[in-house]
Amino acid sequence: MKKIGVLVIALIASLVLAACGGASGEETDGETVKVKIGVNGADGAQWPLLKEKAAKEGIEIELVEFADYTLPNNALAQKDIHLNAFQHIAFLGQYVTESGHDIIPIGSTMFAPMGLYAEKISDIAELEEGDKIAIPDDPSNQARALLLLESAGLITLADDFGMFGDPSKIAENKLSLEILPMTAQQTPRVLPDVAASVINNGVAGQAGFSPAEDAIFVEDETDENVHPYVNIIAARAEDKDNETYKRIAELYQEKDIAEAVKEDTNDGSILVELTQEELDKAFENLKK
């Protein structure tokens, strides 16, 4: 009888543990590994393709959609999901610095380039002394816009510019360009009144522009300066060597996924493949 009692207790304990199993590790039914990925918008054309590819390798992906940008990282830290894929490296760096949670990038996904647009000129060489250039005024996009202008050879930024530098950090401005920070949504609307305007990808799309076709200068995805703005797949640091998660990141980089992203965003976004070393370098630089 004692043996039967012990067996019953063991059985009950095992059932309780199974019932409590969340996303602290990969869920599995014995053959299929189940992985929950937190996203902001599950309607992208890449997701059905990724699910199909993963399923062929015994990985069942469940997308968990969040309406708020802070929630996917909180859910990952709290082990409610296994991965998330919604943010760029700079956003994650800021979150980790503020929250203290140990979340890291394990793979790159897409990049949505910021561009310089104009109505009055068709080439940056046509810019003249004293011309006005509009840029977004929120800290992240403002700094990114100034880095874009530096890449275009229009200004030089101070060595201590950092990730959130502003126009006061312009070290050289040969054309004495007048930089006009403003709300991001205003940057396309002021085009008739300025020589050029730096417009972020999402706002440009809403205004009917295509970075690939309409910008007179656009961020180069191969430039190390834009690595912080490459979107990523993130995991808890304890899972950095998880082979299933790394495989999902690899599958995301395949050619048909890249084509789906381009078509879905009207060439507004492109896939960028960064090595783990490049991801780590960009991420660590943000936390300094």
Side-chain angles (χ1 to χ4, degrees):
M1 291 294 291
K2 288 183 179 180
K3 289 183 178 180
I4 293 175
V6 171
L7 288 172
V8 170
I9 292 171
L11 178 60
I12 292 172
S14 66
L15 290 173
V16 170
L17 288 171
C20 293
S24 57
E26 297 165 9
E27 296 178 14
T28 177
D29 61 10
E31 294 181 1
T32 302
V33 177
K34 299 179 182 178
V35 179
K36 295 180 181 179
I37 303 179
V39 298
N40 273 117
D43 56 349
Q46 75 273 29
W47 295 121
L49 283 173
L50 184 65
K51 283 184 171 184
E52 183 180 348
K53 289 173 174 292
K56 291 178 180 177
E57 300 192 16
I59 305 168
E60 180 184 331
I61 291 177
E62 176 187 345
L63 298 181
V64 181
E65 190 160 6
F66 295 89
D68 184 276
Y69 282 126
T70 60
L71 296 178
N73 280 329
N74 290 338
L76 182 58
Q78 293 162 9
K79 300 188 176 183
D80 294 326
I81 56 177
H82 303 100
L83 303 169
N84 67 41
F86 76 100
Q87 65 194 323
H88 53 49
I89 299 173
F91 188 93
L92 177 61
Q94 186 174 9
Y95 173 84
V96 168
T97 299
E98 293 175 354
S99 70
H101 292 311
D102 205 2
I103 299 174
I104 61 170
I106 64 164
S108 57
T109 57
M110 65 178 70
F111 174 64
M114 177 178 275
L116 182 65
Y117 298 79
E119 286 186 358
K120 301 173 182 177
I121 61 174
S122 58
D123 192 288
I124 57 173
E126 298 175 46
L127 285 168
E128 299 179 352
E129 187 162 349
D131 274 346
K132 297 177 180 179
I133 296 184
I135 64 171
D137 65 357
D138 58 286
S140 178
N141 279 317
Q142 179 174 244
R144 185 176 177 183
L146 292 170
L147 286 166
L148 172 68
L149 296 179
E150 183 178 53
S151 295
L154 299 173
I155 60 173
T156 302
L157 299 172
D159 292 339
D160 62 348
F161 180 75
M163 278 301 301
F164 301 104
D166 58 36
S168 69
K169 294 291 185 179
I170 296 176
E172 187 177 9
N173 184 354
K174 291 180 180 179
L175 290 176
S176 299
L177 299 170
E178 185 178 351
I179 308 299
L180 304 174
M182 61 187 64
T183 304
Q185 294 295 337
Q186 290 295 324
T187 51
R189 298 172 188 168
V190 299
L191 279 171
D193 305 313
V194 298
S197 184
V198 180
I199 309 176
N200 70 40
N201 190 279
V203 174
Q206 293 168 5
F209 295 119
S210 166
E213 297 177 3
D214 301 320
I216 62 171
F217 189 83
V218 69
E219 286 176 322
D220 178 2
E221 70 275 11
T222 66
D223 184 349
E224 191 172 321
N225 282 334
V226 308
H227 285 182
Y229 308 109
V230 172
N231 282 17
I232 53 166
I233 295 174
R236 293 181 293 276
E238 65 193 59
D239 294 325
K240 65 183 179 67
D241 296 320
N242 185 293
E243 292 300 326
T244 299
Y245 302 164
K246 288 162 69 174
R247 183 57 184 153
I248 290 172
E250 290 171 356
L251 291 173
Y252 199 107
Q253 288 294 331
E254 294 191 351
K255 185 177 180 181
D256 52 351
I257 297 282
E259 292 171 351
V261 167
K262 286 186 65 177
E263 183 175 351
D264 200 40
T265 62
N266 192 28
D267 284 338
S269 296
I270 54 177
L271 248 63
V272 174
E273 187 171 8
L274 299 183
T275 65
Q276 189 62 53
E277 183 179 356
E278 289 172 324
L279 289 169
D280 292 343
K281 180 179 179 181
F283 188 52
E284 290 305 315
N285 284 341
L286 290 169
K287 296 191 294 181
K288 290 180 179 177

